[in-house]
Tab-separated table of all heavy atoms in Angstrom:
chain	number	residue	atom	x	y	z
D	1	ARG	N	-98.555	-61.516	-45.043
D	1	ARG	CA	-97.318	-61.568	-44.270
D	1	ARG	C	-96.271	-60.632	-44.879
D	1	ARG	O	-95.550	-59.926	-44.157
D	1	ARG	CB	-96.799	-62.993	-44.205
D	1	ARG	CG	-95.553	-63.179	-43.337
D	1	ARG	CD	-95.316	-64.653	-43.010
D	1	ARG	NE	-95.212	-65.468	-44.204
D	1	ARG	CZ	-96.083	-66.400	-44.548
D	1	ARG	NH1	-97.134	-66.634	-43.785
D	1	ARG	NH2	-95.916	-67.102	-45.646
D	2	ALA	N	-96.194	-60.628	-46.203
D	2	ALA	CA	-95.235	-59.744	-46.869
D	2	ALA	C	-95.561	-58.284	-46.601
D	2	ALA	O	-94.661	-57.468	-46.355
D	2	ALA	CB	-95.231	-60.025	-48.371
D	3	LEU	N	-96.848	-57.937	-46.636
D	3	LEU	CA	-97.246	-56.562	-46.369
D	3	LEU	C	-96.876	-56.140	-44.954
D	3	LEU	O	-96.381	-55.020	-44.737
D	3	LEU	CB	-98.762	-56.413	-46.570
D	3	LEU	CG	-99.363	-55.050	-46.218
D	3	LEU	CD1	-98.757	-53.946	-47.076
D	3	LEU	CD2	-100.884	-55.075	-46.379
D	4	PHE	N	-97.063	-57.022	-43.999
D	4	PHE	CA	-96.735	-56.695	-42.610
D	4	PHE	C	-95.230	-56.519	-42.418
D	4	PHE	O	-94.782	-55.573	-41.775
D	4	PHE	CB	-97.244	-57.798	-41.678
D	4	PHE	CG	-96.867	-57.585	-40.236
D	4	PHE	CD1	-97.495	-56.627	-39.461
D	4	PHE	CD2	-95.850	-58.349	-39.652
D	4	PHE	CE1	-97.132	-56.429	-38.139
D	4	PHE	CE2	-95.487	-58.158	-38.327
D	4	PHE	CZ	-96.129	-57.193	-37.569
D	5	ILE	N	-94.447	-57.422	-43.012
D	5	ILE	CA	-92.995	-57.368	-42.815
D	5	ILE	C	-92.405	-56.117	-43.457
D	5	ILE	O	-91.644	-55.377	-42.829
D	5	ILE	CB	-92.337	-58.632	-43.385
D	5	ILE	CG1	-92.742	-59.858	-42.547
D	5	ILE	CG2	-90.819	-58.492	-43.399
D	5	ILE	CD1	-92.283	-61.177	-43.112
D	6	VAL	N	-92.758	-55.857	-44.718
D	6	VAL	CA	-92.208	-54.664	-45.361
D	6	VAL	C	-92.816	-53.403	-44.746
D	6	VAL	O	-92.195	-52.331	-44.763
D	6	VAL	CB	-92.436	-54.681	-46.879
D	6	VAL	CG1	-91.761	-55.879	-47.514
D	6	VAL	CG2	-93.920	-54.642	-47.234
D	7	GLY	N	-94.012	-53.547	-44.167
D	7	GLY	CA	-94.628	-52.400	-43.494
D	7	GLY	C	-93.810	-51.927	-42.307
D	7	GLY	O	-93.760	-50.728	-42.012
D	8	LEU	N	-93.137	-52.847	-41.631
D	8	LEU	CA	-92.275	-52.467	-40.510
D	8	LEU	C	-91.100	-51.615	-40.989
D	8	LEU	O	-90.681	-50.686	-40.300
D	8	LEU	CB	-91.764	-53.718	-39.788
D	8	LEU	CG	-92.804	-54.518	-39.017
D	8	LEU	CD1	-92.181	-55.771	-38.418
D	8	LEU	CD2	-93.444	-53.681	-37.921
D	9	LEU	N	-90.600	-51.925	-42.174
D	9	LEU	CA	-89.546	-51.088	-42.743
D	9	LEU	C	-90.069	-49.688	-43.045
D	9	LEU	O	-89.369	-48.696	-42.854
D	9	LEU	CB	-89.009	-51.712	-44.039
D	9	LEU	CG	-87.812	-52.648	-43.929
D	9	LEU	CD1	-87.384	-53.098	-45.314
D	9	LEU	CD2	-86.660	-52.002	-43.213
D	10	VAL	N	-91.304	-49.612	-43.526
D	10	VAL	CA	-91.889	-48.305	-43.839
D	10	VAL	C	-92.140	-47.528	-42.546
D	10	VAL	O	-91.997	-46.305	-42.506
D	10	VAL	CB	-93.195	-48.473	-44.636
D	10	VAL	CG1	-93.794	-47.113	-44.982
D	10	VAL	CG2	-92.945	-49.251	-45.926
D	11	VAL	N	-92.509	-48.220	-41.467
D	11	VAL	CA	-92.656	-47.569	-40.164
D	11	VAL	C	-91.335	-46.934	-39.751
D	11	VAL	O	-91.271	-45.780	-39.307
D	11	VAL	CB	-93.128	-48.581	-39.092
D	11	VAL	CG1	-93.010	-47.974	-37.700
D	11	VAL	CG2	-94.570	-48.992	-39.359
D	12	ASN	N	-90.255	-47.699	-39.883
D	12	ASN	CA	-88.931	-47.174	-39.567
D	12	ASN	C	-88.577	-45.979	-40.447
D	12	ASN	O	-88.018	-44.986	-39.981
D	12	ASN	CB	-87.886	-48.278	-39.748
D	12	ASN	CG	-86.471	-47.779	-39.618
D	12	ASN	OD1	-85.736	-47.728	-40.602
D	12	ASN	ND2	-86.065	-47.402	-38.416
D	13	ASP	N	-88.952	-46.048	-41.708
D	13	ASP	CA	-88.669	-44.960	-42.648
D	13	ASP	C	-89.375	-43.677	-42.227
D	13	ASP	O	-88.770	-42.599	-42.147
D	13	ASP	CB	-89.139	-45.382	-44.049
D	13	ASP	CG	-88.623	-44.436	-45.126
D	13	ASP	OD1	-87.852	-43.526	-44.799
D	13	ASP	OD2	-89.007	-44.612	-46.296
D	14	GLY	N	-90.666	-43.775	-41.940
D	14	GLY	CA	-91.416	-42.596	-41.526
D	14	GLY	C	-90.899	-42.009	-40.220
D	14	GLY	O	-90.839	-40.783	-40.061
D	15	ALA	N	-90.513	-42.881	-39.302
D	15	ALA	CA	-89.990	-42.409	-38.019
D	15	ALA	C	-88.646	-41.704	-38.198
D	15	ALA	O	-88.405	-40.646	-37.598
D	15	ALA	CB	-89.853	-43.587	-37.056
D	16	GLU	N	-87.772	-42.274	-39.023
D	16	GLU	CA	-86.439	-41.702	-39.208
D	16	GLU	C	-86.496	-40.329	-39.865
D	16	GLU	O	-85.734	-39.427	-39.526
D	16	GLU	CB	-85.587	-42.633	-40.063
D	16	GLU	CG	-85.228	-43.956	-39.412
D	16	GLU	CD	-84.097	-43.824	-38.392
D	16	GLU	OE1	-83.539	-42.721	-38.259
D	16	GLU	OE2	-83.780	-44.821	-37.736
D	17	VAL	N	-87.405	-40.141	-40.806
D	17	VAL	CA	-87.526	-38.856	-41.484
D	17	VAL	C	-87.951	-37.769	-40.506
D	17	VAL	O	-87.421	-36.649	-40.507
D	17	VAL	CB	-88.519	-38.958	-42.654
D	17	VAL	CG1	-88.855	-37.568	-43.207
D	17	VAL	CG2	-87.952	-39.828	-43.767
D	18	LEU	N	-88.906	-38.092	-39.641
D	18	LEU	CA	-89.375	-37.101	-38.659
D	18	LEU	C	-88.296	-36.809	-37.630
D	18	LEU	O	-88.096	-35.647	-37.235
D	18	LEU	CB	-90.643	-37.609	-37.972
D	18	LEU	CG	-91.292	-36.650	-36.976
D	18	LEU	CD1	-91.748	-35.372	-37.673
D	18	LEU	CD2	-92.475	-37.314	-36.270
D	19	VAL	N	-87.594	-37.837	-37.187
D	19	VAL	CA	-86.581	-37.679	-36.159
D	19	VAL	C	-85.413	-36.814	-36.645
D	19	VAL	O	-84.789	-36.087	-35.859
D	19	VAL	CB	-86.074	-39.074	-35.687
D	19	VAL	CG1	-84.749	-38.967	-34.954
D	19	VAL	CG2	-87.124	-39.715	-34.793
D	20	LEU	N	-85.122	-36.884	-37.943
D	20	LEU	CA	-83.988	-36.126	-38.481
D	20	LEU	C	-84.124	-34.635	-38.209
D	20	LEU	O	-83.131	-33.960	-37.918
D	20	LEU	CB	-83.856	-36.384	-39.977
D	20	LEU	CG	-82.685	-35.686	-40.670
D	20	LEU	CD1	-81.357	-36.157	-40.094
D	20	LEU	CD2	-82.728	-35.924	-42.182
D	21	SER	N	-85.340	-34.114	-38.286
D	21	SER	CA	-85.535	-32.679	-38.038
D	21	SER	C	-85.201	-32.321	-36.594
D	21	SER	O	-84.604	-31.264	-36.331
D	21	SER	CB	-86.971	-32.282	-38.384
D	21	SER	OG	-87.896	-33.005	-37.595
D	22	PHE	N	-85.580	-33.186	-35.646
D	22	PHE	CA	-85.215	-32.965	-34.240
D	22	PHE	C	-83.714	-33.119	-34.040
D	22	PHE	O	-83.081	-32.360	-33.288
D	22	PHE	CB	-85.963	-33.929	-33.340
D	22	PHE	CG	-87.432	-33.671	-33.244
D	22	PHE	CD1	-88.342	-34.439	-33.946
D	22	PHE	CD2	-87.927	-32.651	-32.441
D	22	PHE	CE1	-89.698	-34.202	-33.872
D	22	PHE	CE2	-89.286	-32.404	-32.348
D	22	PHE	CZ	-90.175	-33.176	-33.060
D	23	LEU	N	-83.134	-34.124	-34.714
D	23	LEU	CA	-81.728	-34.420	-34.537
D	23	LEU	C	-80.845	-33.248	-34.931
D	23	LEU	O	-79.895	-32.904	-34.226
D	23	LEU	CB	-81.361	-35.660	-35.351
D	23	LEU	CG	-79.913	-36.150	-35.280
D	23	LEU	CD1	-79.573	-36.575	-33.861
D	23	LEU	CD2	-79.692	-37.306	-36.258
D	24	LEU	N	-81.157	-32.610	-36.049
D	24	LEU	CA	-80.352	-31.487	-36.514
D	24	LEU	C	-80.387	-30.319	-35.538
D	24	LEU	O	-79.366	-29.678	-35.270
D	24	LEU	CB	-80.814	-31.044	-37.895
D	24	LEU	CG	-80.584	-32.048	-39.038
D	24	LEU	CD1	-81.147	-31.504	-40.343
D	24	LEU	CD2	-79.116	-32.374	-39.184
D	25	SER	N	-81.564	-30.060	-34.981
D	25	SER	CA	-81.692	-28.954	-34.018
D	25	SER	C	-80.895	-29.229	-32.746
D	25	SER	O	-80.236	-28.339	-32.204
D	25	SER	CB	-83.171	-28.737	-33.671
D	25	SER	OG	-83.914	-28.381	-34.809
D	26	ILE	N	-80.944	-30.477	-32.282
D	26	ILE	CA	-80.233	-30.842	-31.054
D	26	ILE	C	-78.725	-30.797	-31.262
D	26	ILE	O	-77.977	-30.240	-30.451
D	26	ILE	CB	-80.675	-32.237	-30.575
D	26	ILE	CG1	-82.140	-32.220	-30.159
D	26	ILE	CG2	-79.802	-32.712	-29.413
D	26	ILE	CD1	-82.707	-33.582	-29.843
D	27	LEU	N	-78.271	-31.377	-32.378
D	27	LEU	CA	-76.832	-31.444	-32.618
D	27	LEU	C	-76.232	-30.072	-32.904
D	27	LEU	O	-75.060	-29.827	-32.595
D	27	LEU	CB	-76.536	-32.389	-33.788
D	27	LEU	CG	-76.828	-33.868	-33.520
D	27	LEU	CD1	-76.471	-34.699	-34.735
D	27	LEU	CD2	-76.079	-34.363	-32.287
D	28	GLN	N	-76.999	-29.191	-33.497
D	28	GLN	CA	-76.498	-27.843	-33.729
D	28	GLN	C	-76.134	-27.169	-32.416
D	28	GLN	O	-75.145	-26.433	-32.332
D	28	GLN	CB	-77.534	-27.014	-34.495
D	28	GLN	CG	-77.020	-25.634	-34.898
D	28	GLN	CD	-77.993	-24.904	-35.790
D	28	GLN	OE1	-79.199	-25.159	-35.777
D	28	GLN	NE2	-77.487	-23.993	-36.620
D	29	LYS	N	-76.919	-27.467	-31.395
D	29	LYS	CA	-76.662	-26.877	-30.082
D	29	LYS	C	-75.633	-27.683	-29.298
D	29	LYS	O	-74.717	-27.109	-28.693
D	29	LYS	CB	-77.981	-26.804	-29.294
D	29	LYS	CG	-77.850	-26.206	-27.906
D	29	LYS	CD	-79.217	-26.129	-27.231
D	29	LYS	CE	-79.102	-25.535	-25.828
D	29	LYS	NZ	-80.430	-25.461	-25.164
D	30	GLU	N	-75.730	-29.005	-29.340
D	30	GLU	CA	-74.852	-29.857	-28.527
D	30	GLU	C	-73.438	-29.940	-29.083
D	30	GLU	O	-72.458	-29.971	-28.337
D	30	GLU	CB	-75.460	-31.262	-28.422
D	30	GLU	CG	-74.702	-32.198	-27.499
D	30	GLU	CD	-75.434	-33.515	-27.289
D	30	GLU	OE1	-76.678	-33.493	-27.194
D	30	GLU	OE2	-74.759	-34.560	-27.234
D	31	TRP	N	-73.297	-29.983	-30.398
D	31	TRP	CA	-71.994	-30.102	-31.039
D	31	TRP	C	-71.499	-28.772	-31.625
D	31	TRP	O	-70.470	-28.740	-32.297
D	31	TRP	CB	-72.041	-31.163	-32.137
D	31	TRP	CG	-72.097	-32.564	-31.617
D	31	TRP	CD1	-72.071	-32.968	-30.321
D	31	TRP	CD2	-72.199	-33.751	-32.416
D	31	TRP	NE1	-72.143	-34.332	-30.240
D	31	TRP	CE2	-72.234	-34.850	-31.508
D	31	TRP	CE3	-72.279	-34.010	-33.771
D	31	TRP	CZ2	-72.325	-36.172	-31.937
D	31	TRP	CZ3	-72.374	-35.328	-34.203
D	31	TRP	CH2	-72.392	-36.395	-33.302
D	32	ASN	N	-72.251	-27.720	-31.392
D	32	ASN	CA	-71.893	-26.384	-31.901
D	32	ASN	C	-71.677	-26.385	-33.414
D	32	ASN	O	-70.681	-25.870	-33.938
D	32	ASN	CB	-70.624	-25.867	-31.206
D	32	ASN	CG	-70.827	-25.666	-29.709
D	32	ASN	OD1	-71.856	-25.139	-29.291
D	32	ASN	ND2	-69.857	-26.095	-28.916
D	33	LEU	N	-72.622	-26.975	-34.120
D	33	LEU	CA	-72.513	-27.052	-35.572
D	33	LEU	C	-72.880	-25.717	-36.214
D	33	LEU	O	-73.729	-24.976	-35.704
D	33	LEU	CB	-73.439	-28.145	-36.112
D	33	LEU	CG	-73.209	-29.566	-35.584
D	33	LEU	CD1	-74.185	-30.535	-36.235
D	33	LEU	CD2	-71.765	-30.010	-35.843
D	34	THR	N	-72.250	-25.422	-37.321
D	34	THR	CA	-72.574	-24.210	-38.071
D	34	THR	C	-73.763	-24.473	-38.984
D	34	THR	O	-74.151	-25.626	-39.215
D	34	THR	CB	-71.374	-23.767	-38.917
D	34	THR	OG1	-71.105	-24.778	-39.911
D	34	THR	CG2	-70.126	-23.598	-38.048
D	35	ASN	N	-74.317	-23.409	-39.514
D	35	ASN	CA	-75.430	-23.554	-40.457
D	35	ASN	C	-74.994	-24.313	-41.711
D	35	ASN	O	-75.780	-25.059	-42.308
D	35	ASN	CB	-75.991	-22.176	-40.836
D	35	ASN	CG	-76.717	-21.505	-39.687
D	35	ASN	OD1	-77.265	-22.178	-38.810
D	35	ASN	ND2	-76.718	-20.181	-39.673
D	36	SER	N	-73.737	-24.122	-42.106
D	36	SER	CA	-73.213	-24.835	-43.273
D	36	SER	C	-73.167	-26.341	-43.025
D	36	SER	O	-73.489	-27.147	-43.907
D	36	SER	CB	-71.816	-24.315	-43.629
D	36	SER	OG	-71.858	-22.964	-43.986
D	37	GLU	N	-72.759	-26.737	-41.824
D	37	GLU	CA	-72.711	-28.159	-41.490
D	37	GLU	C	-74.110	-28.768	-41.419
D	37	GLU	O	-74.319	-29.903	-41.857
D	37	GLU	CB	-71.974	-28.351	-40.169
D	37	GLU	CG	-70.474	-28.093	-40.263
D	37	GLU	CD	-69.798	-28.114	-38.921
D	37	GLU	OE1	-70.416	-27.652	-37.926
D	37	GLU	OE2	-68.629	-28.569	-38.844
D	38	ILE	N	-75.048	-28.017	-40.897
D	38	ILE	CA	-76.427	-28.497	-40.860
D	38	ILE	C	-76.967	-28.655	-42.280
D	38	ILE	O	-77.622	-29.646	-42.612
D	38	ILE	CB	-77.318	-27.520	-40.067
D	38	ILE	CG1	-76.934	-27.523	-38.586
D	38	ILE	CG2	-78.791	-27.870	-40.226
D	38	ILE	CD1	-77.161	-28.845	-37.893
D	39	GLY	N	-76.657	-27.690	-43.127
D	39	GLY	CA	-77.090	-27.783	-44.517
D	39	GLY	C	-76.440	-28.946	-45.241
D	39	GLY	O	-77.079	-29.623	-46.061
D	40	LEU	N	-75.177	-29.206	-44.924
D	40	LEU	CA	-74.459	-30.327	-45.529
D	40	LEU	C	-75.090	-31.649	-45.134
D	40	LEU	O	-75.218	-32.567	-45.966
D	40	LEU	CB	-72.985	-30.287	-45.119
D	40	LEU	CG	-72.090	-31.397	-45.688
D	40	LEU	CD1	-72.046	-31.324	-47.210
D	40	LEU	CD2	-70.681	-31.281	-45.097
D	41	MET	N	-75.480	-31.774	-43.873
D	41	MET	CA	-76.129	-32.992	-43.401
D	41	MET	C	-77.415	-33.270	-44.176
D	41	MET	O	-77.669	-34.387	-44.633
D	41	MET	CB	-76.434	-32.880	-41.910
D	41	MET	CG	-77.194	-34.055	-41.312
D	41	MET	SD	-76.185	-35.524	-41.063
D	41	MET	CE	-75.250	-35.035	-39.622
D	42	GLY	N	-78.216	-32.223	-44.344
D	42	GLY	CA	-79.456	-32.395	-45.086
D	42	GLY	C	-79.219	-32.712	-46.551
D	42	GLY	O	-79.901	-33.566	-47.132
D	43	SER	N	-78.236	-32.075	-47.157
D	43	SER	CA	-77.955	-32.268	-48.579
D	43	SER	C	-77.434	-33.668	-48.872
D	43	SER	O	-77.869	-34.320	-49.827
D	43	SER	CB	-76.929	-31.236	-49.056
D	43	SER	OG	-77.419	-29.922	-48.909
D	44	THR	N	-76.492	-34.148	-48.053
D	44	THR	CA	-75.924	-35.473	-48.305
D	44	THR	C	-76.958	-36.572	-48.082
D	44	THR	O	-76.874	-37.629	-48.726
D	44	THR	CB	-74.710	-35.727	-47.387
D	44	THR	OG1	-75.083	-35.505	-46.018
D	44	THR	CG2	-73.567	-34.814	-47.759
D	45	ASN	N	-77.919	-36.335	-47.233
D	45	ASN	CA	-79.003	-37.303	-47.060
D	45	ASN	C	-79.781	-37.478	-48.356
D	45	ASN	O	-80.101	-38.591	-48.763
D	45	ASN	CB	-79.931	-36.863	-45.934
D	45	ASN	CG	-79.510	-37.378	-44.576
D	45	ASN	OD1	-80.075	-38.309	-44.032
D	45	ASN	ND2	-78.482	-36.765	-44.009
D	46	PHE	N	-80.075	-36.371	-49.014
D	46	PHE	CA	-80.812	-36.437	-50.277
D	46	PHE	C	-79.928	-37.017	-51.396
D	46	PHE	O	-80.423	-37.727	-52.280
D	46	PHE	CB	-81.323	-35.060	-50.673
D	46	PHE	CG	-82.518	-34.610	-49.881
D	46	PHE	CD1	-82.398	-33.600	-48.941
D	46	PHE	CD2	-83.743	-35.223	-50.050
D	46	PHE	CE1	-83.500	-33.192	-48.189
D	46	PHE	CE2	-84.852	-34.824	-49.315
D	46	PHE	CZ	-84.734	-33.807	-48.383
D	47	ILE	N	-78.636	-36.719	-51.368
D	47	ILE	CA	-77.721	-37.277	-52.361
D	47	ILE	C	-77.660	-38.800	-52.226
D	47	ILE	O	-77.683	-39.533	-53.216
D	47	ILE	CB	-76.321	-36.657	-52.215
D	47	ILE	CG1	-76.366	-35.186	-52.624
D	47	ILE	CG2	-75.302	-37.414	-53.062
D	47	ILE	CD1	-75.076	-34.437	-52.355
D	48	GLY	N	-77.576	-39.279	-50.979
D	48	GLY	CA	-77.582	-40.720	-50.749
D	48	GLY	C	-78.849	-41.377	-51.263
D	48	GLY	O	-78.800	-42.442	-51.883
């Protein structure tokens, strides 16, 4: 039961990491983000 429950968190983790790459591409176009802002988003994620 513990493996299944924490496994759902790991599923969310794997999904969120993959989605982030799509998210940055979309927001760069939709919100007119600069390359510096995109880089900042990626950097602060790793800092967190």
Side-chain angles (χ1 to χ4, degrees):
R1 184 165 56 246
L3 175 60
F4 176 74
I5 292 173
V6 299
L8 291 177
L9 268 183
V10 181
V11 169
N12 173 250
D13 192 5
E16 293 282 356
V17 169
L18 183 63
V19 162
L20 181 62
S21 60
F22 290 102
L23 181 63
L24 293 177
S25 299
I26 295 173
L27 292 181
Q28 186 173 26
K29 180 178 180 180
E30 185 173 322
W31 287 357
N32 297 316
L33 301 181
T34 65
N35 290 332
S36 297
E37 289 173 324
I38 292 296
L40 181 61
M41 177 75 75
S43 299
T44 54
N45 271 256
F46 284 109
I47 291 173

